C-alpha cells in the first residue's frame, strides 16, 4: 500500500478499534485529534501507520511549543477515511 499523506493540522475522528496505543492496546473509545505528522511504523506493520498529533483541547504552551501530545497507531484505511470526511 502506498504511503498515506495527511497534511499537518487535519482534524481526524477515529472510532474505537480503528486506533491503538504504541503499546498495542486497541483503542476502546473514539478519539479526535489534529494531525502533526504521519509516518511508517519502525517494524513496517502492514495496514497500520503511526500518527502524532494534538488533542482538540490542547492549548499552546506558554513556555514554548511541544511537538505533539498523542502518539498512536492507526489503521491506514481508517485514517484515510477520517481525513476525507
Amino acid at each position: 500500500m502506498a504511503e498515506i499523506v495527511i497534511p499537518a493540522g487535519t482534524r481526524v475522528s477515529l472510532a474505537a478499534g480503528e486506533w491503538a496505543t504504541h503499546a498495542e492496546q486497541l483503542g476502546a473509545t473514539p478519539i479526535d485529534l489534529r494531525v502533526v505528522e504521519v509516518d511508517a511504523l519502525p517494524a513496517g506493520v502492514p495496514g497500520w501507520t503511526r500518527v502524532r498529533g494534538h488533542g482538540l483541547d490542547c492549548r499552546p504552551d506558554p513556555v514554548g511549543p511541544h511537538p505533539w501530545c498523542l502518539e498512536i497507531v492507526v489503521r491506514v484505511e481508517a485514517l484515510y477515511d477520517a481525513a476525507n470526511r
Side-chain angles (χ1 to χ4, degrees):
M1 181 174 279
E3 182 179 333
I4 186 168
V5 177
I6 305 293
T10 300
R11 179 180 171 171
V12 295
S13 295
L14 300 163
E18 293 181 330
W19 65 277
T21 68
H22 64 281
E24 300 178 7
Q25 290 291 324
L26 200 57
T29 61
I31 189 170
D32 296 315
L33 63 120
R34 286 186 322 273
V35 172
V36 171
E37 65 183 11
V38 175
D39 63 12
L41 293 172
V45 179
W48 291 80
T49 192
R50 178 178 20 226
V51 177
R52 292 180 177 123
H54 292 287
L56 300 183
D57 58 349
C58 178
R59 300 289 180 245
D61 188 335
V63 177
H66 53 281
W68 65 82
C69 302
L70 305 166
E71 181 176 24
I72 59 175
V73 293
V74 180
R75 287 187 20 236
V76 171
E77 205 173 274
L79 181 60
Y80 178 81
D81 289 347
N84 288 293
R85 285 186 196 133

